[in-house]
Amino acid sequence: MSASDEVRLVESVRCVQQGGSVLLVRGREALRVSSRAGWITDAVGALRCGTTAAALGAHASPDRVRALLGKLDALGWLTREPAHREAGVPWDRQVGWFTGVTPDGQAAQQRLRTSEVGILGVGGIGAPAAQQLAAAGVPRLWLIDHDRVAVHNLNRQYLFGSADVGRPKTEAAADALRRLVPEVDVRSVERRVETAADLAALPASLDLLLLAADRPRNIGETAWEWSSATGTALLGGAVGLDTGYFGPLLDPAAGHCLPCFEVRRSAGFSSTERELESRSEPTPYSFGPTNALIAAYVARDALLFLGTGRCESHGRRVVLDVLGTGGSGRSETAGTARCDCVGHRPAQEAGAATATPGTPPSTATAPTVTTHRTGRHA
């Protein structure tokens, strides 16, 4: 940066006086700067408001100023954005949160404010995810589902109430989202999705499609067929009795491929695991908190991807022990979504099990274990 470039310390960095030094802290990162000469406190105060290297020269020598700004810039703690002043909006506090992952929090929020997301399946994952996306500032949502609200949905699908029982889920969810965020534009598509042609009602301009449906069994392949043809990123998540997962986020622009991901994911399966996965069905049981947990991770990664272009599940699947009772904890399949197949061959042609992105893997990360867990519920 030049001496005349105005820069500002991002909102999420805190300043703590500690003995003869100043500790600058963001999350789990910290930078200690000696304050014996007394200049650092004034410099940090100036950086809070926005200043230049030349102006900071009034507080310290040019070498000290360059060293401080160099360290702060390397940490991603400096931005050229003006201070955020858009008060009175639901996402006011969110802009500062974004500076924990990117220096330019306002730019990330603006990308959210111009995005468009489709949600396939408005159930235990899709309904709470839609709620979080709308509240975060995503201006347009497309909801696609054929189902109607049932009494047994109400323990986990928090957009709905008892008065909604019997209504189409897309219609009831749209009404609830508009009550939450009056300016959100919600488009409802009441339709059963069995082939990629059934997704033709969705615009090809979508920035992201969330897969939150678990039927029919090949719904993942169907969603990917549409996504890869339109160049739309795809992110799924699901939860079973004791495990759940989110990801992979598959982005055609990044060269991702669902068949290649499935080939690699299942490469270490035992014959028993292949058999169990081929026969697994969605569990008929559900528990609101575990659905909400996975839905929150899906929404988090969707918002991070839309705002910054990166997230934890980009090209990978993260599997969680949702019970927290000393099970498998957290595992992931990393870096396995790149495409190197010829003509995007279906996974089964390469000898892989054909689980959809809605099927939590059972013992995929430990193929020698003989205790198997299957089933999912969206």
Side-chain angles (χ1 to χ4, degrees), residues 31-46:
L31 175 66
R32 187 185 303 276
V33 185
S34 172
S35 63
R36 284 189 296 271
W39 68 276
I40 186 62
T41 302
D42 292 335
V44 169

Side-chain angles (χ1 to χ4, degrees), residues 5-96:
D5 288 339
E6 182 165 302
V7 293
R8 183 173 56 82
L9 199 61
V10 299
E11 288 90 337
S12 55
V13 174
R14 296 183 296 116
C15 180
V16 180
Q17 293 282 350
Q18 193 177 61
S21 61
V22 168
L23 201 61
L24 298 175
V25 182
R26 187 183 71 175
R28 291 177 293 181
E29 298 174 301
L31 175 66
R32 187 185 303 276
V33 185
S34 172
S35 63
R36 284 189 296 271
W39 68 276
I40 186 62
T41 302
D42 292 335
V44 169
L47 283 167
R48 283 283 183 210
C49 300
T51 188
T52 65
L56 287 175
H59 304 287
S61 69
D63 288 344
R64 281 188 170 183
V65 169
R66 279 194 297 271
L68 175 64
L69 293 182
K71 289 179 180 178
L72 293 175
D73 196 38
L75 287 167
W77 292 3
L78 292 180
T79 181
R80 291 175 174 79
E81 290 185 337
H84 170 63
R85 303 189 189 283
E86 190 182 11
V89 293
W91 52 88
D92 179 37
R93 302 294 181 89
Q94 186 169 285
V95 174

Side-chain angles (χ1 to χ4, degrees), residues 8-352:
R8 183 173 56 82
L9 199 61
V10 299
E11 288 90 337
S12 55
V13 174
R14 296 183 296 116
C15 180
V16 180
Q17 293 282 350
Q18 193 177 61
S21 61
V22 168
L23 201 61
L24 298 175
V25 182
R26 187 183 71 175
R28 291 177 293 181
E29 298 174 301
L31 175 66
R32 187 185 303 276
V33 185
S34 172
S35 63
R36 284 189 296 271
W39 68 276
I40 186 62
T41 302
D42 292 335
V44 169
L47 283 167
R48 283 283 183 210
C49 300
T51 188
T52 65
L56 287 175
H59 304 287
S61 69
D63 288 344
R64 281 188 170 183
V65 169
R66 279 194 297 271
L68 175 64
L69 293 182
K71 289 179 180 178
L72 293 175
D73 196 38
L75 287 167
W77 292 3
L78 292 180
T79 181
R80 291 175 174 79
E81 290 185 337
H84 170 63
R85 303 189 189 283
E86 190 182 11
V89 293
W91 52 88
D92 179 37
R93 302 294 181 89
Q94 186 169 285
V95 174
W97 181 89
F98 263 123
T99 65
V101 293
T102 174
D104 303 323
Q106 294 177 71
Q109 184 63 43
Q110 183 56 33
R111 283 190 284 270
L112 285 189
R113 295 292 297 140
T114 57
S115 63
E116 190 171 8
V117 177
I119 301 177
L120 174 53
V122 192
I125 302 297
Q131 188 174 18
Q132 296 191 51
L133 265 58
V138 175
R140 178 172 292 179
L141 297 172
W142 290 77
L143 309 180
I144 184 164
D145 201 316
H146 71 283
D147 210 355
R148 292 176 176 263
V149 179
V151 172
H152 64 76
N153 296 148
L154 302 184
N155 78 319
R156 65 195 183 280
Q157 298 176 23
Y158 305 128
L159 278 181
F160 310 131
S162 56
D164 294 315
V165 172
R167 296 181 66 195
K169 285 186 175 181
T170 54
E171 176 187 293
D175 287 347
L177 291 169
R178 293 186 190 108
R179 287 193 298 271
L180 176 69
V181 184
E183 62 269 24
V184 69
D185 181 5
V186 185
R187 309 293 179 91
S188 301
V189 181
E190 189 180 356
R191 175 178 300 179
R192 183 188 297 273
V193 174
E194 295 183 334
T195 69
D198 296 325
L199 293 169
L202 299 176
S205 59
L206 285 183
D207 297 289
L208 178 65
L209 176 62
L210 295 187
L211 174 58
D214 55 17
R215 293 178 187 276
R217 181 169 176 76
N218 67 338
I219 189 65
E221 287 87 345
T222 297
W224 175 246
E225 181 182 345
W226 181 88
S227 291
S228 59
T230 59
T232 305
L234 175 67
L235 170 62
V239 62
L241 290 176
D242 56 358
T243 61
Y245 73 81
F246 58 99
L249 190 150
L250 299 171
D251 186 1
H256 291 163
C257 172
L258 176 62
C260 289
F261 172 83
E262 290 296 344
V263 167
R264 297 188 186 97
R265 183 184 70 85
S266 60
F269 280 15
S270 67
S271 58
T272 302
E273 286 165 337
R274 290 181 186 277
E275 177 71 13
L276 281 172
E277 186 163 277
S278 69
R279 295 175 179 270
S280 69
E281 293 292 337
T283 176
Y285 312 113
S286 65
F287 185 53
T290 58
N291 277 91
L293 176 66
I294 297 301
Y297 275 113
V298 169
R300 181 205 65 175
D301 274 19
L303 293 169
L304 283 173
F305 174 73
L306 293 169
T308 71
R310 59 185 186 275
C311 62
E312 183 180 12
S313 62
H314 194 262
R316 67 184 69 192
R317 172 171 294 167
V318 181
V319 184
L320 302 177
D321 165 24
V322 296
L323 293 185
T325 55
S328 57
R330 183 186 185 100
S331 62
E332 62 183 49
T333 54
T336 58
R338 71 181 188 280
C339 179
D340 58 11
C341 60
V342 178
H344 296 280
R345 292 175 298 155
Q348 58 267 33
E349 291 183 11

Side-chain angles (χ1 to χ4, degrees), residues 346-359:
Q348 58 267 33
E349 291 183 11
T354 56
T356 74
T359 308

